[in-house]
Amino acid sequence: MVVSILATETKYLNNEHLQGFRKYKYSSIDTNPVGIYIMHPFWDWIVRFFPLWIAPNLITFVGFLFIIKSFIVLSIYDYYFYASIDNVTSWSPIPAWIFALIACNVFISYTLDGVDGKQARRTKTDGPIGELFDHGLDSWTTVYIPLFLYSTLGRSEITMSPRRMYFICWSVFFNFYITHVEKYITGVLYLPWSYDLSMLGTVIIFGVTALTGHGVWQKVIFHGYSMGNIIELGLYLIACIFNVPVVSYNLYVAFSSKKGKNLSLWEGFRPLIPLALFLSLSLTWLNYSPSNIIERDPRAFCLLTGTIFSNICCRLIIAQMSNTRCQIFNAMLIPFSIVILVSILVPPLELFLLYVSVMFSIIYHVHFGVCVVKQMCDHFDRKCFQIHVKC
């Protein structure tokens, strides 16, 4: 069984997927002034320093590793998110250089994520493998950015409880997901304004924290509300102002004018079913946890749900790129449901089951990603990280 789990020959894609990928053409629209007038010119300048032999997928992967590096560092210094709270003496404050390091890591990752596509077009190696690889890793990044921010704001009633932080994670999940539902229906990726704003905002917040200290976010500035509360509200407003209305309008136009893929209303919103099931299960565990699991280990709980979300999202991305029907159920929800049920019935096992679930979900998701990319590379006769054979 261990051999089968570690094997990279599992065929997650069928022939319909592979043939659909052969016909795929990338189509996107970016109307964000920050991206158009600031970031894209910067990325166009930066990419000129990359040698032509560096594969775009390698740039993508290195950028993701900077996110993982940040997660590991903050897990060491602030596992339970108490380090930024002065009145909790059992945890040492996070050093200023750590905040500066995370700011640099996030900015480098954001830059590499913007450069990889330009390097692909520059070297004439763009294609479905690179796009799937890029967006798949982006879907996993959605859980890490809120966790980074939580280490600056701190875990307290003045700033934010773990439960409220978890809802922010779900806000990020939902807004990332509906962008790809939009593409599934319209055939066009409308790049959300919220992405650039959230990434640059994260860099700025960590930079300010490195210079002024974490206490700036706990200061009460208006009728009992702290700067941390303002940031929390801002995260929701960015989604409500810059993403949800735009997606809703684009979907309305697609259905009313019968443009895009001209799907029926049921088929168009089919991708929302696995996400709704996953949200229902997550809220069930959150609300009926015997030991208040989100308070006992918010980092592990968020990492588990973020990994499952990424797998659900990756399958949607595969469906939209290959022009196939989106799956209505994700297999990872079966063990997730079992863990929730056993945790409620046998409370002493809850924390142990959470840790086992985290390990299982990461192994399964990484296995899924490796096998899918390998299968596509084999099908297109290319290699993922070698540009001379057109990955």
Side-chain angles (χ1 to χ4, degrees):
M1 181 176 178
V2 174
V3 174
S4 64
I5 292 176
L6 297 178
T8 59
E9 300 300 328
T10 305
K11 306 298 183 184
Y12 287 104
L13 305 177
N14 56 37
N15 187 63
E16 186 182 5
H17 289 130
L18 296 173
Q19 294 305 317
F21 276 118
R22 280 199 172 275
K23 301 174 184 176
Y24 175 73
K25 298 294 182 183
Y26 178 64
S27 177
S28 68
I29 296 177
D30 189 358
T31 60
N32 184 5
V34 174
I36 294 173
Y37 298 110
I38 300 176
M39 299 314 303
H40 280 288
F42 173 67
W43 295 332
D44 287 332
W45 176 73
I46 285 289
V47 76
R48 295 183 300 171
F49 296 95
F50 284 77
L52 292 174
W53 54 265
I54 295 182
N57 286 347
L58 183 60
I59 296 174
T60 304
F61 187 62
V62 171
F64 180 69
L65 289 181
F66 273 94
I67 295 296
I68 298 302
K69 171 189 172 184
S70 300
F71 178 76
I72 293 173
V73 169
L74 287 174
S75 296
I76 293 171
Y77 278 88
D78 186 28
Y79 186 84
Y80 290 105
F81 304 103
Y82 280 129
S84 293
I85 302 300
D86 291 326
N87 62 352
V88 179
T89 58
S90 59
W91 293 91
S92 301
I94 303 174
W97 69 267
I98 291 293
F99 291 115
L101 175 66
I102 304 304
C104 291
N105 286 346
V106 173
F107 183 75
I108 292 172
S109 176
Y110 174 47
T111 299
L112 294 179
D113 191 42
V115 164
D116 55 6
K118 296 183 182 295
Q119 177 76 346
R121 289 183 287 275
R122 181 171 172 244
T123 56
K124 297 181 173 56
T125 56
D126 51 323
I129 299 174
E131 183 180 344
L132 178 61
F133 192 76
D134 185 5
H135 292 169
L137 292 180
D138 285 345
S139 71
W140 209 357
T141 302
T142 55
V143 72
Y144 295 112
I145 300 301
L147 293 180
F148 295 170
L149 289 175
Y150 199 34
S151 281
T152 64
L153 304 181
R155 176 180 176 178
S156 74
E157 293 303 321
I158 297 177
T159 52
M160 192 187 308
S161 67
R163 182 178 290 257
R164 281 162 52 194
M165 183 271 296
Y166 186 62
F167 291 147
I168 286 179
C169 286
W170 263 101
S171 174
V172 177
F173 294 167
F174 178 74
N175 281 279
F176 185 90
Y177 194 81
I178 61 173
T179 298
H180 288 279
V181 171
E182 178 185 31
K183 188 184 178 188
Y184 179 79
I185 296 171
T186 65
V188 179
L189 179 63
Y190 295 88
L191 298 170
W193 289 23
S194 57
Y195 174 69
D196 291 310
L197 294 174
S198 61
M199 294 300 287
L200 289 175
T202 301
V203 173
I204 292 171
I205 289 171
F206 271 94
V208 170
T209 308
L211 294 174
T212 65
H214 57 266
V216 66
W217 311 116
Q218 280 96 51
K219 290 181 179 178
V220 176
I221 59 173
F222 180 75
H223 290 284
Y225 291 95
S226 67
M227 281 295 295
N229 298 140
I230 302 301
I231 292 175
E232 179 184 3
L233 177 62
L235 291 171
Y236 287 116
L237 288 178
I238 287 174
C240 293
I241 295 174
F242 295 110
N243 199 31
V244 174
V246 176
V247 171
S248 300
Y249 174 76
N250 289 334
L251 293 181
Y252 169 76
V253 170
F255 282 116
S256 61
S257 63
K258 299 188 182 301
K259 292 182 179 179
K261 296 184 179 180
N262 195 20
L263 300 173
S264 66
L265 193 62
W266 160 251
E267 287 297 328
F269 289 100
R270 179 184 171 95
L272 293 176
I273 295 177
L275 187 71
L277 289 173
F278 178 44
L279 174 60
S280 300
L281 289 170
S282 299
L283 291 179
T284 298
W285 196 359
L286 189 72
N287 292 321
Y288 294 98
S289 168
S291 63
N292 201 356
I293 195 67
I294 190 65
E295 292 283 346
R296 292 188 69 183
D297 198 330
R299 186 176 295 271
F301 191 78
C302 290
L303 181 57
L304 169 62
T305 50
T307 303
I308 297 175
F309 165 76
S310 180
N311 193 265
I312 294 173
C313 195
C314 284
R315 293 177 185 272
L316 169 60
I317 295 170
I318 289 171
Q320 54 138 19
M321 290 180 64
S322 61
N323 198 24
T324 54
R325 200 180 191 200
C326 180
Q327 292 182 348
I328 204 169
F329 183 79
N330 187 285
M332 291 185 76
L333 296 183
I334 297 176
F336 187 58
S337 303
I338 295 173
V339 164
I340 294 172
L341 179 61
V342 176
S343 295
I344 294 174
L345 295 178
V346 190
L349 293 178
E350 187 171 27
L351 192 61
F352 170 75
L353 289 174
L354 172 63
Y355 294 146
V356 171
S357 299
V358 170
M359 290 187 291
F360 170 80
S361 65
I362 291 175
I363 292 172
Y364 177 83
H365 187 49
V366 170
H367 179 261
F368 171 81
V370 170
C371 289
V372 166
V373 171
K374 184 177 185 301
Q375 192 176 354
M376 289 185 66
C377 286
D378 289 344
H379 179 74
F380 288 98
D381 192 23
R382 299 175 183 179
K383 292 187 178 180
C384 189
F385 299 119
Q386 294 183 19
I387 202 169
H388 63 276
V389 289
K390 283 191 173 183
C391 177

